[in-house]
Each structure stands twice: as structure tokens, then as C-alpha cells.
Amino acid sequence: MTQLLAFLLCFTSFSCFALIKNSHCKAVFAKRVDAVLGRRMLMIAWCALITSIIISLWDLAGYGGVLFFGYMAISIILLVLLLSYHPTKLRSLIYVLPTLISATCIGLWL
């Protein structure tokens, strides 16, 4: 369950990194990102990425680092495919990601 949380945070992080770019944001939301929102998304992206690596290393020590790099690769591949072929589907996924992360956290505490 912790590895699912690490993957979701990693995907969220790279989604934020991608949406900071005006071309990607325009393809997904049909408008450009402003400077304030861009800075907030950059902070969210870095915090999610750092949290993801901490969770991976905390759960499985050295092997967690290997899994983290795998999560990064899978996240980037999924994001590239979504942005290339169905950018509007990423918008729907962005709205669902906080719920998935919250449900995973609640599942960890139970």
C-alpha cells in the first residue's frame, strides 16, 4: 500500500512538472498557466517527489530506491502517452488523483 502511495505521488509530481509548461497546460485546460499558479505547482511537484522517495526508501530501504526510479519511468511513460494522444483525459485524472492519494493514506492507517 505504501508503494502505491509512492507511485501516485510520483505521477502527481510529474503531472505538475508537465503542466507548468504553457503548451501542455493549453492542451489540457485550453488556457495558459499564470505565474502564481506555476510557482505553486512547482512547489507541489517537488514536495510530492521528495515525499515519494522518502516513502520508497523508508518502506524498503535500498530496494526502495530502485522501485522509485521504476515509478519515475512508468509515470513519465504514462504521462507522455496521455499528453500525446488524450490530453483532455489527463484533466479528469488530475481531479481524481487527490482522492486516490487520500484513500491510500486512509488505507495505510487502518
Side-chain angles (χ1 to χ4, degrees):
M1 200 66 146
T2 56
Q3 295 306 312
L4 175 64
L5 180 62
F7 172 72
L8 289 173
L9 286 170
C10 195
F11 186 78
T12 302
S13 172
F14 285 113
S15 296
C16 287
F17 281 135
L19 290 175
I20 292 171
K21 302 292 282 182
N22 282 328
S23 58
H24 297 310
C25 192
K26 194 169 184 180
V28 174
F29 294 110
K31 63 180 181 178
R32 292 177 171 243
V33 64
D34 60 339
V36 175
L37 182 62
R39 276 188 245 116
R40 286 181 184 165
M41 285 175 42
L42 187 63
M43 290 298 294
I44 290 170
W46 278 112
C47 289
L49 194 64
I50 291 169
T51 305
S52 177
I53 195 165
I54 288 171
I55 289 172
S56 292
L57 290 175
W58 174 69
D59 190 37
L60 295 172
Y63 188 63
V66 175
L67 280 175
F68 173 72
F69 286 113
Y71 296 150
M72 284 186 2
I74 291 170
S75 297
I76 291 171
I77 289 171
L78 288 175
L79 196 58
V80 165
L81 290 174
L82 276 172
L83 283 172
S84 296
Y85 297 111
H86 300 288
T88 55
K89 296 214 185 227
L90 182 61
R91 179 179 11 173
S92 302
L93 190 59
I94 287 170
Y95 295 134
V96 174
L97 275 173
T99 306
L100 289 173
I101 291 171
S102 300
T104 306
C105 288
I106 291 170
L108 282 173
W109 284 330
L110 294 179

